[in-house]
Amino acid sequence: MQLAAIAITLAACVPQGDKQPSTRASQPRHVIPEIGADLMAAPAAPRAAMPSNAQLARDFLDLTFALETGRDLTYFSRFEGPVSITLAPGAPTSAREELERLVARLRNEAGLSVTTTPGQANRITVAFVSERQLQSSVPNAACFVAPNVDGWDDFRRNRRGGSTDWTQVTTRRLASVFIPANAPQQEIRDCLHEELSQALGPLNDLYRLPYSVWNDDNFHTVLTRFDMLILRAYNAPELRSGMTEGAVAAQLPTVLARINPGGGPVFETYSSPTPRAYISAIEAALGAQSNPSRRLGSAQEALRIARAEGWHDTRAAFAWFALGRLAMRDDPQGAVQALSNARTIYAGIPGTAIHIAHVDVQLAAVALGTGRAEQALTLADRSLPAVQAAQNGALIATIQLIRAEALARLGQPEAARQARLDSANWARYGFGSDSAARARATEIALLAKAGAQVNQAALGAR
């Protein structure tokens, strides 16, 4: 069995991490992972409901008064008044389409006074720069937002000064979002959703949030109902720039009672903080800098921390997910068990349909690569609705390719052809180029070929 082919697809399907698949095949191994009947019949997660106002208040404060780096923010800051969001010269045509759609959502769902027409005193500029330039300034960032600068040249001139330090900002008047110029349309959309929402709202990401783009697991890629409610609260008239955490907390019961009247009263709640050691371990596990064994060790460390903290939430599930993805080459059976553990935890958390779908795609790849075409089709079919609802074009295209190969192996050529057409319809949006789409199709075809070899070997051994 060509486990390298499976590892390529697993790496390609995860929400962050390596962009370039390995081109070196590992040696065939004798251990073939089993996907048990209990996992094949596993239930979906309960439908998400909006958290209580008590939980919303806790989430709001944790998102608002810290940065992703762990630094605390002393003061609440936002744009006071209408905001213009404009594209710098040279932006891709697709960026205009995605920006207009997002701004319409921000107006209609979050009640924000935002426009794509220049002229407001408060301004956000969206600039597209080369990936090399972006990485040289902010390594490992797919895209980012900076305060008090108007475009890339302004950022380069001022990036080492206090003006671009979010901890020094008390009122926002100017900001810029930077996105790679060669990004596919889906990545442009994803960057616009996360970075513009942080320019207009809270600046932190929390691994414990299952229902938000403000989570570095990157399962959600477009703003959710939760995110829009937080943005509405962030720009509520009861709040103003320069308020302390205590002053904001005192106003949240009134704000949330007005915008989420069914959420109940606000009372003191405890939030389980995420240690920096866990965040560092996850970043190392999913990063592209370390060797495979070191990355696997980092995933194991993240899981150790999750167990020590007693977590049974999305942080524990994500640690299992990362471990399952990275263990596939050397311990395929253990990898499937890790993915199973991740799925079990996600299934107990409302609103994690997209998280479960990501796990099922990993398992579908395993099934296809081990000659279990029927299982692969079942898992791919099961994951598809949630991925479509999440508008993840790259993952939809990948799922359709898995379905196409599985259907072909099951003797359904017409259905396989339709699945390939469906994949092609999403591939350009998700991958950005024909060559990237062809590379993904080749990866999935290698999986199917490996699965066919497994079946032939099994027949020969009888």
Side-chain angles (χ1 to χ4, degrees):
M1 179 181 69
Q2 295 293 328
L3 290 180
I6 292 177
I8 287 171
T9 297
L10 292 174
C13 293
V14 296
Q16 60 184 43
D18 293 344
K19 291 187 177 180
Q20 297 299 326
S22 171
T23 57
R24 183 177 171 187
S26 64
Q27 294 299 315
R29 300 181 182 275
H30 298 296
V31 179
I32 299 177
E34 291 286 346
I35 302 175
D38 57 337
L39 190 55
M40 293 296 297
R47 183 175 175 82
M50 191 62 69
S52 69
N53 282 344
Q55 185 61 52
L56 283 170
R58 182 71 268 160
D59 293 342
F60 185 98
L61 294 172
D62 288 348
L63 284 166
T64 299
F65 286 95
L67 296 173
E68 295 177 47
T69 58
R71 298 171 69 195
D72 290 334
L73 292 171
T74 304
Y75 300 107
F76 175 80
S77 73
R78 71 180 185 189
F79 289 98
E80 299 292 347
V83 182
S84 295
I85 305 174
T86 58
L87 298 173
T93 302
S94 61
R96 170 66 61 186
E97 302 167 2
E98 296 294 348
L99 179 60
E100 292 287 357
R101 280 195 285 266
L102 174 57
V103 166
R105 283 195 63 196
L106 291 170
R107 286 197 297 256
N108 296 333
E109 298 176 43
L112 303 189
S113 181
V114 290
T115 178
T116 57
T117 303
Q120 300 296 339
N122 297 316
R123 293 181 290 124
I124 301 174
T125 300
V126 180
F128 289 80
V129 299
S130 73
E131 189 169 6
R132 180 187 60 79
Q133 288 177 298
L134 193 148
Q135 288 292 314
S136 67
S137 296
V138 185
N140 301 319
C143 41
F144 67 95
V145 60
N148 298 321
V149 293
D150 187 10
W152 183 251
D153 290 341
D154 196 15
F155 170 74
R156 291 294 300 273
R157 284 191 298 268
N158 295 284
R159 63 182 175 138
R160 301 194 186 281
S163 64
T164 58
D165 183 351
W166 282 107
T167 66
Q168 304 302 309
V169 176
T170 54
T171 302
R172 305 180 196 181
R173 296 184 177 88
L174 182 66
S176 287
V177 169
F178 301 109
I179 301 175
N182 63 341
Q185 187 170 351
Q186 180 174 319
E187 186 176 341
I188 290 172
R189 179 204 66 191
D190 297 352
C191 284
L192 287 173
H193 276 247
E194 179 156 9
E195 304 309 329
L196 281 177
S197 67
Q198 293 195 307
L200 295 162
L203 295 163
N204 199 8
D205 279 352
L206 299 173
Y207 274 104
R208 65 177 176 79
L209 293 182
Y211 29 63
S212 175
V213 299
W214 302 317
N215 184 327
D216 278 332
D217 65 15
N218 287 357
F219 284 126
H220 285 287
T221 56
V222 298
L223 290 168
T224 66
R225 191 161 61 103
F226 168 88
D227 299 331
M228 291 297 184
L229 189 65
I230 291 291
L231 286 172
R232 185 178 288 274
Y234 204 91
N235 290 274
E238 292 88 348
L239 306 182
R240 64 185 183 279
S241 294
M243 294 176 76
T244 63
E245 182 172 359
V248 170
Q251 292 298 321
L252 284 179
T254 301
V255 172
L256 293 173
R258 177 170 53 78
I259 68 175
N260 191 41
V266 172
F267 50 83
E268 186 69 25
T269 61
Y270 170 74
S271 66
S272 170
T274 303
R276 291 305 305 176
Y278 171 89
I279 296 171
S280 297
I282 287 292
E283 289 175 347
L286 299 181
Q289 304 304 317
S290 303
N291 62 45
S293 62
R294 195 169 299 168
R295 293 171 64 195
L296 179 62
S298 296
Q300 292 167 336
E301 174 64 10
L303 182 59
R304 185 198 67 75
I305 294 169
R307 285 171 156 170
E309 293 288 331
W311 293 335
H312 297 283
D313 59 10
T314 54
R315 293 169 293 187
F318 193 56
W320 279 116
F321 178 85
L323 180 62
R325 170 225 165 174
L326 292 168
M328 191 58 67
R329 285 179 187 271
D330 297 319
D331 182 14
Q333 194 63 58
V336 169
Q337 184 58 56
L339 292 170
S340 173
N341 292 344
R343 197 187 195 286
T344 298
I345 295 172
Y346 282 135
I349 302 171
T352 56
I354 185 60
H355 306 67
I356 292 172
H358 273 271
V359 176
D360 282 347
V361 173
Q362 312 301 306
L363 294 171
V366 173
L368 186 65
T370 53
R372 300 179 173 91
E374 190 169 349
Q375 281 191 350
L377 183 61
T378 298
L379 288 161
D381 285 346
R382 189 167 74 184
S383 67
L384 192 55
V387 176
Q388 289 172 326
Q391 304 173 43
N392 190 326
L395 198 53
I396 294 171
T398 299
I399 291 168
Q400 292 291 8
L401 287 170
I402 291 174
R403 293 185 69 252
E405 294 292 346
L407 288 162
R409 300 290 167 182
L410 293 170
Q412 301 180 48
E414 184 56 33
R417 187 185 71 83
Q418 184 59 54
R420 291 187 198 283
L421 289 174
D422 292 339
S423 176
N425 289 336
W426 284 100
R428 175 58 70 89
Y429 182 82
F431 299 127
S433 69
D434 292 337
S435 61
R438 285 194 298 270
R440 178 56 51 82
T442 299
E443 292 167 2
I444 304 301
L446 285 173
L447 278 178
K449 183 177 179 180
Q453 291 171 347
V454 169
N455 286 337
Q456 290 172 357
L459 288 172
R462 289 180 183 175

